[in-house]
Amino acid sequence: MSQHAIRVHNLYRYFGPLKAVNGVSFEIPHGSVCGFVGANGAGKTTTMRILASLDYPTLGTAEICGYNVVSHPDEVRRLIGWMPDHFGNYEHMTVVEYLDFYARALGFKGKERRQRVQEVMEFTDLVPLADRFSNKLSKGNTQRLGLGRALLQDPQVLIMDEPAAGLDPKARVELKSLIRVLANEGKTIFISSHILSELGEMCDSLLFINGGRIVHHGDAESMKRETDSGGGLLFDVQLLGNAEDLSEWCLLQAQVELIEARKHGGRVRINSADLNDAAQALQRMIKDGLRVTEFHREERNLEDAFIDMLGKLDRGEIGGSKPPPMPDRKAFNPPAPEA
Ligand code: ATP
């Protein structure tokens, strides 16, 4: 067995002049859950589509369990389950018919096919909805159906593009627990999401991409450490009144910064590691007439770390190394993707 479930080396994907993926390298070991994080347009879907053998790299290597996605797409497709961010449902096709259709396409026959469809419906809790039209499901159940479809051939590697997007909190919790079960079965899961707090809990590692380049790969704690500029203390401040009062007050302070406004207060950063400075800031708030009802210290979360990282990238404080230069593109002439 190859050493890594997913291996990407010096991967490039250009769309004309646009460098969607620009010299990306990373490895994901078997049986781990890796979260893929980046702002809109960072290059997540493009990378995932290449891994799913749905697009060709302009240059570079992508492998699933040692199989190159360009030279061995059939092997790759047998090994992966792909859950795209959007997928079409067919009108007048029920849930069971939909899964059966894909099971046929994958080559399942007769009793084995019916059994596999039933197992997948049980796992994704779709049995009660078996006869419902697949294009009339709620968002949460549509995602379950997408997951069920991706699981039909019991893939070793599951690639999920934004599976939690648009789900309500209950559906997100349910999806997360399904992913946990799959991870416990030993599947490798590569999942993109904007919901960073959830990824932190669920993933063994996080891969951050920005402008087509990987800027961090490590666990959630290492991400927080790397972006912590050292010193800033975060406080949640609740007011009797609106956030604007707090916002105006912060503008006049040297050390205090409002980083998130809420309905009745907000999150502030005290730019000092000294708790005395925080105590003095609270004293000044009260002296200046802010009606503070709550003032408590908060841990930095992944969202903070992500925003800090984007700020550092913008200021050129990290990620300064250039991507490896792309060799002459004329030397590489990939065949057109299959329909
Ligand atoms: P999001 O979180 O918004 O889904 P993403 O990180 O998945 O973003 P990609 O979809 O990979 O980002 O897109 C990366 C860049 O490549 C974007 O600027 C996008 O507009 C561009 N892009 C993607 N596919 C194509 C295409 N087929 N033709 C031209 N440009 C494309």
Side-chain angles (χ1 to χ4, degrees), residues 3-22:
Q3 209 183 343
H4 296 103
I6 298 178
R7 182 173 171 274
V8 168
H9 185 66
N10 279 351
L11 193 75
Y12 295 81
R13 178 60 166 111
Y14 288 2
F15 296 108
L18 184 94
K19 300 169 180 178
V21 176
N22 195 21

Side-chain angles (χ1 to χ4, degrees), residues 15 18 20 39-46 194:
F15 296 108
L18 184 94
N40 291 127
K44 301 180 297 294
T45 300
T46 306
H194 290 295

Side-chain angles (χ1 to χ4, degrees), residues 139-267:
K139 178 77 184 165
N141 288 327
T142 302
Q143 293 304 80
R144 285 169 184 276
L145 185 60
L147 178 62
R149 181 179 122 184
L151 291 176
L152 277 170
Q153 57 175 348
D154 195 20
Q156 281 189 35
V157 178
L158 197 53
I159 302 173
M160 309 172 85
D161 193 6
E162 291 280 350
L167 296 190
D168 67 29
K170 181 167 170 277
R172 282 214 303 269
V173 169
E174 287 165 359
L175 181 72
K176 204 161 67 173
S177 74
L178 288 182
I179 290 172
R180 213 49 273 175
V181 173
L182 293 166
N184 289 341
E185 283 176 9
K187 295 195 189 306
T188 306
I189 301 175
F190 189 42
I191 176 171
S192 72
S193 175
H194 290 295
I195 306 167
L196 296 182
S197 46
E198 286 190 358
L199 278 185
E201 287 167 29
M202 189 161 57
C203 296
D204 302 302
S205 70
L206 294 172
L207 188 63
F208 277 73
I209 185 167
N210 187 59
R213 296 172 57 194
I214 301 298
V215 291
H216 179 85
H217 192 184
D219 62 18
E221 287 313 309
S222 72
M223 170 75 195
K224 288 187 208 165
R225 267 197 314 277
E226 184 168 315
T227 53
D228 190 358
S229 40
L233 297 173
L234 292 173
F235 289 85
D236 185 309
V237 183
Q238 290 286 317
L239 301 176
L240 271 184
N242 61 40
E244 270 174 35
D245 298 340
L246 182 63
S247 165
E248 281 170 18
W249 183 85
C250 287
L251 282 176
L252 301 172
Q253 308 298 313
Q255 265 185 321
V256 190
E257 191 188 343
L258 182 72
I259 56 170
E260 188 189 335
R262 304 231 176 95
K263 198 171 174 198
H264 298 290
R267 293 180 86 210

Side-chain angles (χ1 to χ4, degrees), residues 22 32 40 50 65 76 85 140 175 210 232 316:
N22 195 21
S32 69
N40 291 127
I50 292 172
C65 301
V76 166
D85 53 352
L175 181 72
N210 187 59

